[in-house]
Amino acid sequence: MADVILKNVYKYYPGNSEPTVIDFNLEIKDKEFVVFVGPSGCGKSTTLRMVAGLEEISSGEVYIESRLVNDIEPKDRDIAMVFQNYALYPHMTVYDNMAFGLKLKKIPYTAFAIDRKKIRSLTKELKLTIKNEPENQEKIKQLQEEISYLKQNKVEVIKYRKHTRQEIDDKVMEAASILEIEDYLERKPKNLSGGQRQRVAIGRAIVRKPKVFLMDEPLSNLDAKLRNQMRAELILLRKKINTTFIYVTHDQVEAMTLGDRIVVMKDGVVQQVGTPTEVFNSPKNKFVASFIGTPQMNFLDGKLIIKDGHYFVNVFGVDVKLNSRLSSKLKEKNISEEKEVYVGIRPDHFKLGLEDKETFKGNILVSEMMGTEYHLHLNVNDTKLAVKVPLIGLDGELLSQIASGGEISFSFENDYIYLFDKESEESLEN
């Protein structure tokens, strides 16, 4: 079971008054794909490097397959890491790059042999005893008998051997087949595209068949088209090799499409852990809500009010009635007083062209035609809003109004309104 557990992990760098990673706690299950996501400098890569053993842990514990690895060298953790800059050897062919780690790695096996390591240890102890405790004849005799026994009897010991040439070839060819790079094995990295180099870097990790794959922003150096292609290939690769993955990215699209679970980080602190659906639909705070989703969620200043036993939120001077789900959550939390809040609404959840008592009016500043939808930038009382408008089923008159610009009426889809406390920025639903 290649599970990974981090307990109360901190990372301090000399000269920094604040820790880079603060009280990180997470349990990653065997064969789970977990994505660390957050803005630059949030501590996600540092956390990954502590799992790999490339960064020292200031305090806390890291376990891989239930084994504490704090003081274990990276090469002995049975992990493989794919870096942002590929880290390929330029003078080696693709084949040699993939085979290099296997040539260095030794395979443990059990055999019956004289345990010379233990004999050396006991002999050293015997000499020290004779020198420092000559009167302790009982211990001297016991050590002599144990050494004599070990010299005459073979015991089960762990030995190490190198991979054979055939084993190396089989593993490289298997990985090359999975990644579809068999035709590039004799090329050198300078003769490969960015996507091909990344496949080679991943292949070098695959051949070792590690317990855990660690990936540090492996797609960030690729252009948008190739990044989309490689993201799909990573999903397929995960199905083929089916092991534990920890993946770091600043791209929330990668996080949403690749991860079984997402760990959202900010300033070294875990903000939320959950499935992509949970994080998107039920953000724990304003930061998570703003970071996950494209374009990002709109945030408006509002006031939570109660009228005739019902909850409303006042935005731009209009009272918008909250749905029963959100009202029930507020009642459970015993919120019975008016309070200032942030009102969150995603660009997808606007209704245009309708006019009723919960309708607003705004001016279209920019209209972006994206092929299947329009992205509108509205100005409402000096507040900027982003709105997505699908073309399918769009009324002709409304389409003409969007294209020409000017004033437009809109309302919110009440089932998709989010409320966040003005002081703590925590969701009022949690």
Side-chain angles (χ1 to χ4, degrees), residues 26 36 44 58 89 160 164-165 178 210 279 358 371 398 429:
L26 183 66
F36 296 170
K44 56 189 185 294
S58 301
Y89 298 108
Y160 294 86
T164 65
R165 188 172 297 178
I178 291 172
V279 172
E358 294 187 358
L398 187 57
E429 295 187 55

Side-chain angles (χ1 to χ4, degrees), residues 274-301:
T275 65
T277 302
E278 289 169 349
V279 172
F280 184 83
N281 291 332
S282 303
K284 285 193 172 182
N285 56 44
K286 185 171 177 270
F287 171 77
V288 175
S290 67
F291 195 82
I292 301 296
T294 304
Q296 76 169 43
M297 184 182 286
N298 298 287
F299 295 100
L300 313 171
D301 291 326

Side-chain angles (χ1 to χ4, degrees), residues 124-237:
K124 185 177 180 180
E125 185 179 354
L126 175 61
K127 289 178 179 179
L128 287 173
T129 304
I130 293 172
K131 180 180 179 181
N132 300 324
E133 305 176 59
E135 72 284 353
N136 194 346
Q137 290 299 311
E138 183 178 347
K139 183 178 180 181
I140 292 171
K141 184 179 180 182
Q142 182 182 348
L143 288 169
Q144 289 172 335
E145 289 176 352
E146 192 169 351
I147 292 169
S148 177
Y149 175 83
L150 289 172
K151 286 181 176 180
Q152 297 175 37
N153 294 276
K154 292 182 178 180
V155 296
E156 190 176 67
V157 295
I158 296 176
K159 290 194 168 187
Y160 294 86
R161 68 172 180 85
K162 291 185 176 182
H163 286 86
T164 65
R165 188 172 297 178
Q166 187 61 50
E167 286 173 333
I168 292 173
D169 190 63
D170 289 344
K171 288 177 183 287
V172 170
M173 296 308 296
E174 180 185 4
S177 175
I178 291 172
L179 295 165
E180 299 180 0
I181 54 173
E182 300 103 310
D183 295 339
Y184 311 131
L185 291 176
E186 297 307 316
R187 296 187 188 180
K188 290 186 177 178
K190 67 180 180 181
N191 298 321
L192 301 175
S193 68
Q196 290 165 349
R197 290 180 195 177
Q198 193 56 275
R199 284 198 197 98
V200 176
I202 293 170
R204 186 173 56 187
I206 289 175
V207 295
R208 298 184 60 227
K209 294 190 175 179
K211 293 173 182 173
V212 183
F213 273 98
L214 307 178
M215 295 189 167
D216 189 7
E217 305 206 41
L219 308 185
S220 61
N221 285 348
L222 307 179
D223 61 52
K225 182 180 178 181
L226 194 52
R227 194 159 56 241
N228 290 339
Q229 179 186 337
M230 285 300 298
R231 192 167 64 235
E233 290 185 13
L234 279 175
I235 294 171
L236 294 174
L237 173 65

Side-chain angles (χ1 to χ4, degrees), residues 8 37 45 89 94 102 107 113 152 190 233 272 279 304 328 350 366 372 379 383 389 401 412 415:
N8 309 116
V37 66
S45 289
Y89 298 108
V94 167
L102 294 176
I107 308 169
Q152 297 175 37
K190 67 180 180 181
E233 290 185 13
Q272 185 169 354
V279 172
L304 183 65
S328 297
F350 286 77
V366 178
T372 59
N379 180 28
T383 298
V389 186
Q401 188 178 1
F412 303 143
D415 288 342

